[in-house]
Structure formats: C-alpha cells, structure tokens
Amino acid sequence: MGLIAAAIAVGLGALGAGIGNGLIVNGTVQGIARQPELRGTLQTTMFIGVALVEALPIIGVVIAFIVMGQ
C-alpha cells in the first residue's frame, strides 16, 4: 500500500508542476508579446515562479521516501 501512495504522491506532484509551469510560461510569453520592453522583468519573475512550482514535485518525492521508509 505504501508503494501505491508513494507513486501517487510523485505522479500528482509531477502532473501539477507540469501544468503550473505551462501556465507560467504561457503567461510570460503573452506578456512579452504585449510589452516587449518588459522582457527582462517578466523573465525574472517567470524563473522565480518556475522555481517555486518545481518545489512541489521535490516535496512529493520526499514524502514518497518517507512513506516507503515506514
């Protein structure tokens, strides 16, 4: 049962991160298309957002290891 829980935690974390990254990059590209002069600012904000979103699957993997260790 623990292996299934670990697989679900990692899978849902990766799925959520993929969707989140797609939305972030989509918004950034649209913003750059509307106002090209803000490219640097928008990219900086995008990279911060992507980094925060990528923390989710890492946390999922840690939870999976915790569940598997018990």
Side-chain angles (χ1 to χ4, degrees):
M1 208 57 186
L3 292 175
I4 294 172
I8 290 172
V10 173
L12 289 178
L15 179 68
I19 293 170
N21 283 337
L23 292 173
I24 290 170
V25 172
N26 178 35
T28 303
V29 169
Q30 287 182 1
I32 292 171
R34 289 184 188 141
Q35 294 183 329
E37 67 274 4
L38 293 178
R39 179 179 180 188
T41 304
L42 291 173
Q43 281 184 337
T44 301
T45 305
M46 179 193 72
F47 288 134
I48 292 171
V50 167
L52 292 174
V53 168
E54 284 298 321
L56 179 68
I58 293 170
I59 293 169
V61 169
V62 170
I63 291 172
F65 282 139
I66 291 171
V67 168
M68 289 174 48
Q70 293 180 349

